[in-house]
Amino acid sequence: MSQSIESVLTENRSFAPSEEFARAAQVKSMAQYEEMYRRADEDPEGYWAEVASELAWTKKWSKTLDWKLPDAKWFVGGQLNASVSCLDRHVATWRKNKAALLWEGEPGDTRVLTYGQLHREVCKAANALIALGVKKGDFVAIYLPMIPEAAIAMLACARIGAPHTVVFGGFSAEALGDRIKDAKAKIVITSDGGWRRGAIVPLKENVDRAVEGTSIEKVVVVKRCANDVAMKDGRDVWWHDTVDVASPRHEAESFDSEHTLFTLYTSGTTGKPKGILHTTGGYLTGAYYTTKLVFDLRDEDIFWCTADIGWVTGHSYVVYGPLANGATVLMYEGAPNQPGPDRFWDIIAKWGVTVFYTAPTAIRAFMRWGDQWPAKHDLSSLRLLGSVGEPINPEAWMWYREQIGHNRCPIVDTWWQTETGSIMISPLPGATPTKPGSATRPLPGIAADVVHKDGTPAKANEGGFLVIKKPWPSMLRTIFGDHERFQKTYFGEVAGCYFAGDGARKDADGYFWVMGRVDDVINVAGHRLSTMEVESALVSHPKVAEAAVVGRPDDLKGQAIVAFVTPRQGVAADEALAKVLREHVSSQIGALARPEEIRFAEALPKTRSGKIMRRLLREVASGSKSRGDTTTLEDQGVLERLAQSFAQEE
Ligand code: 7RM
C-alpha cells in the first residue's frame, strides 16, 4: 500500500527498544550500529569477508570481491556446499539432536525433524536425485506445498550442485510450464496435492499439463494427500519409492562460491517473468548475516516465517538463513483462516513461537477479522515481530504492535527483494528506534540511498529512487538467459547504482520510507506481478482485442488489479464475459492474478505515439477525486477528453 506524503510527514511516533531486549541482542545500541555501518562502509571487503568466514568453507577464497559493474563475483576461488553450512556442521555438534524443523499441516498433522534427521533426509534425497540422473548444473523444478519435503528437496539440490527453481504452488500449469521451459529443467518434484482451506490443490495435475513438450525427463511425486493421481510409466516416480530406499550417507562435494544455487522467477515490467539467479557463497552469506542480525536468533528461539517457499522470503527465511544459523524453524502448510481466523495464533501458542515474520496484507486481514481472535490465545512466547513484502501502513503497524506484540515486542519492517537475496533495510531490534511505517535504516554493509534520476541524492523528505550504491554479497548475478536485460533493468536507470524499482524518501533522521514501485510492477497481497503479464493473459483470449491493466489502492491487498478491456468486434461486453476473462487470467497465471474488476471500453486512451496512458487509467481505476470522478469508462467521450487534458500536461 503506498502511503500519502501527509501520513508520512505527520508520522512522528517512535518506539525505542526496551533495555531488557537490548541487553541480550546481537546489536545493542545505535552507537554500535553506527560503528558497524562505518566499518563496513570503510572496508566493505574486509567486513563481508569476516561475515562469510562464519560459513563452512572447504577452500578459502583468494579474492573477496571482483566487481566490474554490473558483474559481481564474491569470495572468488572459495569453495563450499550450502547444505553443509545448513546441516552437516550443526550435526557435528550438540545441535544434532536439536529440532531443525517443526511442521504443522493444515489438517493438524505434525512432524518434527532434528538436524540429524533433516540431514539424513537431505542425504537420501540427494542420492535419489543422482540415481535419477541429475548432475551438477542440471536445473530441478520444485512445485510443492509447504511440507518438509519442500525444504528437503531444496537442500538436496544444493547438496549436489543442481540449481533449484521453486515455483509457488498457487501458480497455474501454464505459468509452471513457462518457468520449466525457461530454466530447461530436467526434473520436477511435486506432490499428489497440498491442503488449502480444506481442499486439495491439484499440483500433480498441473504438472502433467505443464511438462508437455518440455525438457522434463522425470517427475518425482511426494504422497501428501492420499489422493488418487495418474502416474505416467517411465516418467513419474514416487518420492517414497526413490528417496526412502536411498542411502542416508552422502559425501558432499564443494562447489565454487559463484556456482548457481538457484533461480527464482519474479515479475518485471514486461510480460515475461525474470529468472533471478543467485549463487552459493554470496547468497548464503547474505541470508545467514541478515537472519542473525535482524531476527537476533538464539538457540532457544522458534522462528516462524509464514512465507511460502515459492517466494524469496521462503528461500531466505524459512530455509537457508535460519538453518545456516542452526535455528529452529516452524513451517505451516495451509491457510491462516482454516479452520478459523485464529489458526496462526493457535500455532504460535501451541509451539511457543518466539519470532514471527509475516506480510502487511496478512496483518490487515487479521485486523479485519477482529481482536477477539488473537486475544483467545497465549502469545506471551513472542519476543520479536517482522513484516515484509510491501509498505506497512502505520495503522496496521500499530495494530500488530498492540494486539500481537502486546506493546512488548519490537517490530522489524524489512525492505528487500527477490533480486537483493536478503534483507537490505531494517531496524535492528535491540538498537533501532522504530517509526510505524518506516523500514528505518540500511543494514551495515548496505549502501542504500534515495537519489534523483541523475544520481544526485534527494534532500530530506524529498521523493526519489531507491538505489544501492555498492555491491553486496547476496545480490542477483543475472537474469537467467538474458544478461542484457539484467544490465538494463538494474544498472541502466541510475548511473553506477543498482536501481530497485521502488520510490522512497529519507526523513531528517535518515529513515527510509518506501513508497512502492515506480514501474509497471504491482503488489497484490504481497505478491509481485507485472501489469503486462496480466495484459498478455487477457489478450490471449479470443474475445479480447486489447487490454490495459493497472493497480488500484486496496485496503486489504495493498493493490487490486483493474483491467480495462476492449472486446473484439461483435462481442458483447457483459458480466458473463468479465467472469470468463477473470477465470482465463487465473488459469493462465494463477488465482493471485485474477482481476478484481474488469471495465470495458470501446478504445483505450493512448498517447500520439501509441502508448497506453496508464497514469490516466490508474486515476480512473482508483476513482481519483481530482479529476474524472464521475467517469464511467463506458462513456468514451469523457475518457477521450481526459486523455486530451493529460496529453496537454505531458
Ligand atoms: C521480499 C519481497 C519486492 C518488492 C519491493 C517493494 C516491496 C518488500 C517491503 C516492500 C516496502 C517493505 N521480494 N517490498 N518489502 N515495500 N516495505 N518492507 O517481497 O521481490 O517479491 O518484492 O516488494 O516494492 O521492490 S519481492
Side-chain angles (χ1 to χ4, degrees):
M1 182 183 290
S2 61
Q3 295 158 1
S4 67
I5 296 167
E6 289 75 18
S7 91
V8 169
L9 294 180
T10 56
E11 192 49 75
N12 52 12
R13 273 169 294 187
S14 166
F15 298 91
S18 71
E19 258 168 55
E20 186 200 342
F21 196 101
R23 210 173 307 128
Q26 285 282 336
V27 181
K28 303 173 198 307
S29 67
M30 277 315 260
Q32 192 186 343
Y33 161 81
E34 299 281 5
E35 167 58 20
M36 287 169 79
Y37 197 92
R38 192 193 52 75
R39 245 194 69 218
D41 194 48
E42 278 168 10
D43 177 20
E45 292 183 29
Y47 186 84
W48 286 117
E50 210 170 282
V51 177
S53 62
E54 290 172 31
L55 301 177
W57 297 83
T58 50
K59 183 166 170 248
K60 173 97 183 169
W61 54 93
S62 52
K63 194 169 179 219
T64 302
L65 171 66
D66 189 344
W67 174 232
K68 258 195 256 62
L69 187 140
D71 299 310
K73 289 196 179 99
W74 281 92
F75 317 116
V76 185
Q79 290 188 353
L80 77 169
N81 183 301
S83 93
V84 169
S85 279
C86 291
L87 301 169
D88 303 53
R89 65 161 166 167
H90 305 310
V91 170
T93 70
W94 67 270
R95 288 201 184 98
K96 179 177 181 190
N97 296 323
K98 173 183 173 169
L101 201 58
L102 310 175
W103 175 83
E104 183 164 316
E106 193 184 77
D109 42 345
T110 62
R111 284 164 72 183
V112 175
L113 280 95
T114 63
Y115 271 93
Q117 289 171 315
L118 184 59
H119 177 251
R120 276 174 72 86
E121 293 307 313
V122 168
C123 287
K124 279 161 42 183
N127 284 323
L129 288 176
I130 292 169
L132 288 171
V134 182
K135 292 187 188 62
K136 173 182 168 183
D138 290 343
F139 279 72
V140 175
I142 298 176
Y143 186 62
L144 281 171
M146 286 292 281
I147 55 177
E149 283 75 11
I152 294 167
M154 287 166 72
L155 291 162
C157 288
R159 196 168 183 91
I160 62 171
H164 53 70
T165 294
V166 183
V167 180
F168 173 54
F171 277 120
S172 66
E174 196 83 22
L176 172 63
D178 289 346
R179 286 155 176 77
I180 286 173
K181 278 180 210 130
D182 192 78
K184 298 181 194 71
K186 197 165 171 183
I187 285 201
V188 54
I189 304 175
T190 188
S191 73
D192 62 349
W195 290 103
R196 186 83 194 172
R197 266 186 210 103
I200 294 173
V201 184
L203 297 172
K204 174 64 166 65
E205 280 170 39
N206 289 347
V207 168
D208 289 340
R209 275 184 285 140
V211 302
E212 289 288 318
T214 68
S215 48
I216 291 292
E217 292 168 14
K218 295 275 180 219
V219 178
V220 184
V221 189
V222 178
K223 212 173 193 47
R224 162 65 188 133
C225 300
N227 191 17
D228 245 344
V229 293
M231 297 290 278
K232 188 171 168 182
D233 257 358
R235 186 196 70 183
D236 301 353
V237 294
W238 287 105
W239 173 280
H240 56 262
D241 286 341
T242 41
V243 175
D244 288 4
V245 299
S247 162
R249 260 177 270 284
H250 178 267
E251 217 44 69
E253 183 191 334
S254 285
F255 303 107
D256 192 90
S257 176
E258 285 296 335
H259 183 69
T260 302
L261 182 60
F262 65 86
T263 59
L264 183 60
Y265 286 81
T266 194
S267 297
T269 49
T270 72
K272 193 174 176 285
K274 309 178 280 195
I276 303 301
L277 188 144
H278 283 287
T279 60
T280 310
Y283 169 81
L284 200 62
T285 299
Y288 165 79
Y289 168 72
T290 53
T291 304
K292 186 170 153 180
L293 249 66
V294 175
F295 300 111
D296 194 45
L297 287 189
R298 327 223 166 111
D299 268 316
E300 319 79 89
D301 274 319
I302 293 177
F303 179 53
W304 183 17
C305 163
T306 67
D308 192 282
I309 50 126
W311 310 115
V312 74
T313 308
H315 282 57
S316 301
Y317 302 107
V318 176
V319 181
Y320 289 109
L323 297 180
N325 278 279
T328 300
V329 293
L330 187 135
M331 192 174 181
Y332 167 60
E333 176 189 35
N337 54 354
Q338 181 69 25
D342 57 343
R343 183 60 181 274
F344 275 20
W345 321 127
D346 180 70
I347 291 174
I348 289 173
K350 173 172 164 190
W351 296 92
V353 171
T354 58
V355 182
F356 178 63
Y357 189 34
T358 196
T361 187
I363 297 167
R364 292 192 296 265
F366 300 140
M367 281 172 81
R368 183 168 293 193
W369 294 340
D371 300 356
Q372 68 275 23
W373 297 108
K376 269 176 56 177
H377 299 272
D378 177 7
L379 304 181
S380 61
S381 58
L382 289 172
R383 65 179 196 90
L384 177 58
L385 304 173
S387 170
V388 62
E390 57 180 314
I392 179 167
N393 47 309
E395 298 69 31
W397 196 101
M398 287 305 297
W399 184 89
Y400 198 26
R401 180 180 160 87
E402 286 161 10
Q403 301 299 321
I404 308 304
H406 298 157
N407 295 312
R408 189 174 38 78
C409 305
I411 296 178
V412 288
D413 172 8
T414 62
W415 178 87
W416 61 294
Q417 310 176 293
T418 307
E419 292 87 341
T420 69
S422 58
I423 297 168
M424 300 277 106
I425 306 178
S426 167
L428 297 181
T432 319
T434 50
K435 303 183 193 184
S438 169
T440 76
R441 313 250 316 250
L443 298 186
I446 304 303
D449 204 355
V450 178
V451 301
H452 300 299
K453 183 111 182 90
D454 64 3
T456 56
K459 290 200 275 289
N461 283 320
E462 196 180 19
F465 299 122
L466 182 47
V467 298
I468 301 168
K469 295 180 156 173
K470 285 182 194 167
W472 66 100
S474 66
M475 67 193 282
L476 78 165
R477 298 300 192 261
T478 190
I479 293 172
F480 186 70
D482 199 346
H483 200 60
E484 195 187 322
R485 187 176 173 197
F486 160 75
Q487 194 281 326
K488 272 207 209 113
T489 309
Y490 304 109
F491 294 92
E493 295 286 337
V494 182
C497 295
Y498 168 83
F499 168 66
D502 280 314
R505 69 187 68 239
K506 270 198 300 186
D507 68 17
D509 297 326
Y511 276 43
F512 285 69
W513 299 81
V514 180
M515 313 299 291
R517 303 290 303 194
V518 294
D519 51 13
D520 291 324
V521 171
I522 51 177
N523 197 323
V524 182
H527 298 149
R528 191 171 148 178
L529 281 166
S530 131
T531 53
M532 295 260 295
E533 225 174 319
V534 184
E535 284 164 11
S536 311
L538 283 165
V539 297
S540 75
H541 193 277
K543 290 190 170 162
V544 174
E546 202 172 29
V549 168
V550 296
R552 124 158 94 65
D554 182 273
D555 283 350
L556 206 58
K557 298 178 183 169
Q559 283 184 301
I561 300 173
V562 179
F564 294 85
V565 172
T566 304
R568 289 255 165 104
Q569 201 84 55
V571 174
D574 53 16
E575 196 36 52
L577 178 61
K579 192 162 174 252
V580 166
L581 295 181
R582 270 197 291 271
E583 283 325 301
H584 179 68
V585 172
S586 179
S587 78
Q588 290 288 300
I589 305 174
L592 55 113
R594 185 189 279 125
E596 183 87 10
E597 203 184 324
I598 301 232
R599 299 173 72 153
F600 294 109
E602 294 160 29
L604 299 174
K606 291 191 186 142
T607 61
R608 250 182 304 243
S609 62
K611 287 206 181 93
I612 293 173
M613 301 172 89
R614 285 168 193 288
R615 186 159 69 91
L616 179 141
L617 291 178
R618 269 198 295 272
E619 296 216 8
V620 172
S622 53
S624 158
K625 291 277 171 287
S626 60
R627 64 172 100 221
D629 48 346
T630 56
T631 313
T632 62
L633 259 197
E634 290 72 15
D635 184 349
Q636 202 65 29
V638 173
L639 200 61
E640 274 157 24
R641 282 193 298 281
L642 267 172
Q644 263 166 22
S645 70
F646 264 79
Q648 274 155 19
E649 250 178 57
E650 246 119 20

